[in-house]
Amino acid sequence: MPKTEEEKGFVEIVDGNYKIKGKFHIVEENQPIFNKDTGKLAGVTNPRDMTYIHSYGGEAPFFEGITQGKLLASRCDNEHCLSKGKIFEPFRIHCPDCLRKNTIVDITDKAKNKAKIHTFIITHRAGAFNTLPKPIKFINVEFDEEVATILMSILAVGEPNIGKRVVPIFNTKKPTYTIMDLRFVPEGTPETELPKGFTF
Ligand SMILES: [Zn+2]
């Protein structure tokens, strides 16, 4: 059953401190596990319901960006680093080579004009709590020579092929503020075919 507002946990930051309100641990009644053949007790279920507070830290701009239709990446601008000018997507707070803080850059236009499928995998068996439509078409997205990494995402419409041009779509209407707000579709997909809540 979906939780009521009184059963949810809420967090905000006030004066630099986390302030929590509501319920973060809900205790449920456990159940015995009996062996139907022998009538003997074999164990118990352990229902657990807890709300985890996940801080994004320096990656927060990336997750806020996708809710606004922006794909943010990061770039090393250190003159003395061999990776100077390299762009990282997924977003890296620090350069893996010189460990200096990277500069945040907007690669939305680059993704719209240059992104393509590097490789892909299709799975019919999803993990626990899966909310993606099956089969899930996982794709690795490459951008251009400036971007030193490939991004893991999913193809929301159509079939994946190596080298296929794709464009990002964003859950801007009712964002979850997680990576689920970013997906890709083949170039030329009409807006009417996008998943609910998603825009270009
Ligand atoms: Zn560097």
Side-chain angles (χ1 to χ4, degrees):
M1 264 226 313
K3 290 180 182 176
T4 63
E5 287 302 290
E6 290 71 43
E7 290 170 330
K8 292 181 187 170
F10 299 89
V11 185
E12 52 189 8
I13 297 172
V14 182
D15 297 330
N17 295 307
Y18 275 71
K19 300 281 182 208
I20 67 169
K21 191 179 83 187
K23 287 194 177 167
F24 286 77
H25 303 89
I26 296 175
V27 179
E28 285 178 58
E29 213 179 319
N30 71 320
Q31 305 292 333
I33 302 170
F34 280 105
N35 185 323
K36 286 274 248 185
D37 299 326
T38 63
K40 290 188 191 310
L41 181 71
V44 289
T45 62
N46 265 333
R48 293 284 182 269
D49 184 327
M50 63 171 227
T51 298
Y52 176 67
I53 301 173
H54 180 129
S55 169
Y56 280 148
E59 291 176 347
F62 172 84
F63 291 99
E64 191 160 10
I66 56 179
T67 69
Q68 299 160 350
K70 273 191 300 192
L71 189 61
L72 299 183
S74 66
R75 183 183 63 212
C76 176
D77 284 337
N78 179 1
E79 291 295 335
H80 307 290
C81 177
L82 285 176
S83 289
K84 180 185 180 290
K86 271 189 192 168
I87 294 176
F88 305 107
E89 184 70 293
F91 191 100
R92 290 173 175 169
I93 302 163
H94 297 94
C95 172
D97 294 325
C98 67
L99 304 183
R100 216 167 82 165
K101 197 161 185 190
N102 284 328
T103 307
I104 295 174
V105 291
D106 186 332
I107 63 161
T108 316
D109 286 342
K110 195 191 273 298
K112 284 182 177 173
N113 297 315
K114 294 187 173 169
K116 55 186 185 191
I117 297 177
H118 179 77
T119 190
F120 65 92
I121 185 170
I122 299 174
T123 180
H124 293 258
R125 288 171 67 91
F129 307 115
N130 173 59
T131 53
L132 292 169
K134 285 185 281 183
I136 307 170
K137 296 153 190 170
F138 288 111
I139 56 172
N140 285 113
V141 180
E142 61 176 79
F143 298 94
D144 62 10
E145 57 292 335
E146 273 186 320
V147 182
T149 50
I150 50 176
L151 175 71
M152 185 82 165
S153 189
I154 68 158
L155 189 71
V157 172
E159 295 305 317
N161 285 114
I162 291 173
K164 187 177 240 178
R165 272 276 295 121
V166 288
V167 295
I169 57 168
F170 305 93
N171 180 1
T172 53
K173 298 210 175 132
K174 195 170 179 250
T176 65
Y177 300 93
T178 70
I179 197 64
M180 299 283 276
D181 294 338
L182 172 67
R183 298 176 197 190
F184 283 78
V185 294
E187 186 183 35
T189 301
E191 187 134 26
T192 50
E193 283 185 31
L194 302 190
K196 197 164 168 259
F198 278 76
T199 53
F200 284 110

